Amino acid sequence: MTLHQKHYYRFLLIFIGTIFYFLANVQRTAIPGAIFDVLQGDFSVCASKITLLGAIFCYVYAITQLVVGLMVDKIGGFRVIAIGSIMFAIGAIIFPHSTTILGLYLSRAFVGFGAATFYLSTIREVKKYAKDKNFSLAVSYILFIGYSGGIVANAPFVMCVNEIGWRNSLYLLGYFTLFLAILYLIVLFIFKPVHIETDTRITLSPFKEVLSNKKNINLFIFGSINYGLYYVLQSVIGKKFLQDFCNIGVNKAALILSFMAVISAFAGTITAFISRCINNRRAIIFKTVAVLSFLSVLSICILLAFNIQTKLIALIFCIPSFIGSISPLLIMTLHLYNRYEVSATAVSIQNFGFFMMVGILGMISGMLMNVFKPQNINGVLIYSNKSYLLVFLLFLILSIFELICAYRIKENSACA
């Protein structure tokens, strides 16, 4: 195989890996957020059992991240994606076939495991060939494509569900995923990656090194809360909240969340560009993000406390949509804080924090929503402002911790 052919197949594998990341975002955003009421009605379960669909995905995703970081160092990102693509396709097909809530939970576990392999593996392969000065922008492009899945997972997906039903919509998505997995395996077989580190042993020492660095801890807590607050709105309760409290229709609520995803998709590139324009400074951006996060949650809490049912909340949602997409800067900072040999582990721990936070917040949100009895209107459960106030007060407390950690982050260009 010529060098030109190897570059072509390597690019193709990275591109397909990025498409898998796009599909992973479709899966984790659409379920349960975009079809919350539909699933609740079809399976006759309370809010906490529906939000658990998102929580299971996030828990499995988060835990798998820790293993993925080690496996990428051992056998390379391309092989890890191959394993994940098979699990992801199985889970995507199981979901629409399920007739019980337990079947849905099993599907989400498979999807969560597979989805966890795409992002970190793709980023690691890109890191091998991208120069440091271009790395944040390269990551932002991948994130742009990936986060576009959140756009598709709301208004377009809801429109599809309205036309052919949620099961048929997810059948199409599942079998396309299976086709893509087969295509990826064929290309991987042709490419024959040679990266296997026979001298690399899978140990816990990288975790010990990363977690003993106090600079990492502040970054992990800040990043996890920031991402968690945005994504629990995007993928779990945001659409339901807009429908229940703001009296926004199903299609318009889905359109708002799609717009949020558009903002999120562009935000990563914009923040990376801003950082580059200010001499690659990142700490000042993190501090600004934390302040905006606190103010946006505080404003929603005030509106809920006084029961002000305004559609302006849809505009407030745009703030966490923009500031929740700072992963390129977080990843670059982690690469600077840590040795290259443990940088994949550092990123895997950050991703673990991201999705563990989303899972926990999604699960607790479902519990808090059930503290006050909802109204049953034509078979649809409508939750009161009191229920949502409990949820956003929790978010407010977390945003304060985010603010504290952000102001402890210092500009640093060398690993500890």
Side-chain angles (χ1 to χ4, degrees):
M1 185 182 296
T2 66
L3 184 62
H4 176 75
Q5 289 175 320
K6 289 187 73 69
H7 284 315
Y8 170 77
Y9 285 118
R10 181 181 292 114
F11 173 80
L12 189 57
L13 288 170
I14 290 174
F15 178 74
I16 298 175
T18 304
I19 299 302
F20 274 128
Y21 182 52
F22 166 86
L23 293 174
N25 274 278
V26 173
Q27 286 281 352
R28 69 188 182 204
T29 304
I31 303 168
I35 51 175
F36 196 108
D37 285 336
V38 177
L39 292 175
Q40 194 170 39
D42 282 4
F43 290 89
S44 302
V45 292
C46 63
S48 59
K49 290 188 177 179
I50 296 299
T51 58
L52 189 57
L53 288 169
I56 288 174
F57 174 97
C58 290
Y59 291 150
V60 175
Y61 188 106
I63 294 170
T64 306
Q65 282 292 306
L66 302 179
V67 180
V68 168
L70 298 173
M71 292 302 293
V72 167
D73 289 335
K74 179 68 178 178
I75 64 174
F78 289 144
R79 289 190 178 89
V80 174
I81 292 174
I83 298 169
S85 66
I86 297 170
M87 301 293 285
F88 187 70
I90 291 172
I93 291 172
I94 289 176
F95 195 93
H97 281 90
S98 299
T99 56
T100 66
I101 195 73
L102 292 178
L104 299 184
Y105 290 157
L106 176 64
S107 164
R108 298 306 285 167
F110 273 103
V111 170
F113 180 91
T117 66
F118 304 140
Y119 176 70
L120 183 59
S121 300
T122 304
I123 294 301
R124 185 64 172 207
E125 293 297 335
V126 170
K127 177 62 179 175
K128 293 178 184 177
Y129 307 105
K131 296 179 180 179
D132 285 346
K133 66 178 182 179
N134 297 322
F135 180 60
S136 290
L137 283 175
V139 171
S140 71
Y141 296 147
I142 293 173
L143 287 174
F144 174 81
I145 295 173
Y147 285 175
S148 296
I151 303 171
V152 174
N154 283 289
F157 180 69
V158 169
M159 289 174 60
C160 190
V161 169
N162 290 339
E163 290 294 323
I164 62 175
W166 69 269
R167 289 189 187 274
N168 288 333
S169 300
L170 290 172
Y171 281 137
L172 292 174
L173 190 63
Y175 285 109
F176 174 72
T177 302
L178 179 61
F179 163 77
L180 201 64
I182 294 171
L183 176 63
Y184 183 87
L185 293 174
I186 292 172
V187 176
L188 184 67
F189 178 78
I190 297 171
F191 180 68
K192 293 182 173 61
V194 296
H195 179 100
I196 295 183
E197 296 291 347
T198 56
D199 296 332
T200 300
R201 293 188 303 167
I202 296 179
T203 69
L204 296 179
S205 57
F207 290 98
K208 183 178 179 181
E209 179 179 339
V210 171
L211 293 174
S212 63
N213 187 337
K214 292 182 180 179
K215 291 184 293 184
N216 287 335
I217 301 301
N218 279 326
L219 204 65
F220 290 154
I221 297 174
F222 161 74
S224 298
I225 296 175
N226 175 260
Y227 187 88
L229 292 178
Y230 160 65
Y231 221 88
V232 79
L233 292 176
Q234 176 71 26
S235 64
V236 184
I237 67 165
K239 178 171 172 286
K240 180 66 173 168
F241 171 66
L242 291 173
Q243 292 174 233
D244 290 358
F245 182 69
C246 303
N247 296 316
I248 296 175
V250 175
N251 292 334
K252 286 186 178 179
L255 189 62
I256 290 169
L257 263 70
S258 283
F259 183 66
M260 288 172 62
V262 171
I263 295 172
S264 181
F266 281 101
T269 303
I270 293 171
T271 53
F273 179 75
I274 292 172
S275 175
R276 192 171 182 179
C277 289
I278 57 175
N279 199 27
N280 286 321
R281 295 175 64 197
R282 297 169 299 280
I284 185 63
I285 295 177
F286 295 152
K287 292 178 176 67
T288 303
V289 159
V291 171
L292 291 174
S293 178
F294 170 75
L295 292 176
S296 62
V297 176
L298 177 63
S299 61
I300 293 176
C301 284
I302 292 172
L303 293 172
L304 284 166
F306 290 97
N307 198 24
I308 302 173
Q309 297 176 313
T310 173
K311 293 179 173 59
L312 289 175
I313 288 178
L315 292 178
I316 297 174
F317 270 26
C318 294
I319 298 174
S321 300
F322 185 85
I323 65 178
S325 299
I326 54 171
S327 290
L329 299 184
L330 289 172
I331 292 170
M332 190 63 210
T333 306
L334 285 171
H335 277 88
L336 294 172
Y337 279 0
N338 300 276
R339 295 184 303 115
Y340 176 80
E341 291 77 9
V342 298
S343 59
T345 300
V347 175
S348 73
I349 293 173
Q350 179 68 91
N351 286 342
F352 169 84
F354 282 170
F355 290 94
M356 189 58 71
M357 182 63 71
V358 176
I360 292 171
L361 287 181
M363 184 178 69
I364 295 177
S365 295
M367 294 177 180
L368 292 175
M369 287 167 67
N370 285 323
V371 170
F372 297 99
K373 187 176 180 179
Q375 290 182 286
N376 190 324
I377 301 177
N378 298 323
V380 177
L381 297 180
I382 307 297
Y383 296 88
S384 68
N385 66 308
K386 294 180 181 178
S387 296
Y388 286 113
L389 180 58
L390 290 177
V391 174
F392 279 92
L393 283 175
L394 171 63
F395 293 176
L396 183 64
I397 294 170
L398 288 173
S399 70
I400 294 172
F401 281 102
E402 177 189 354
L403 196 60
I404 293 170
C405 290
Y407 273 83
R408 290 179 176 173
I409 298 172
K410 307 296 182 184
E411 294 290 354
N412 196 315
S413 58
C415 67

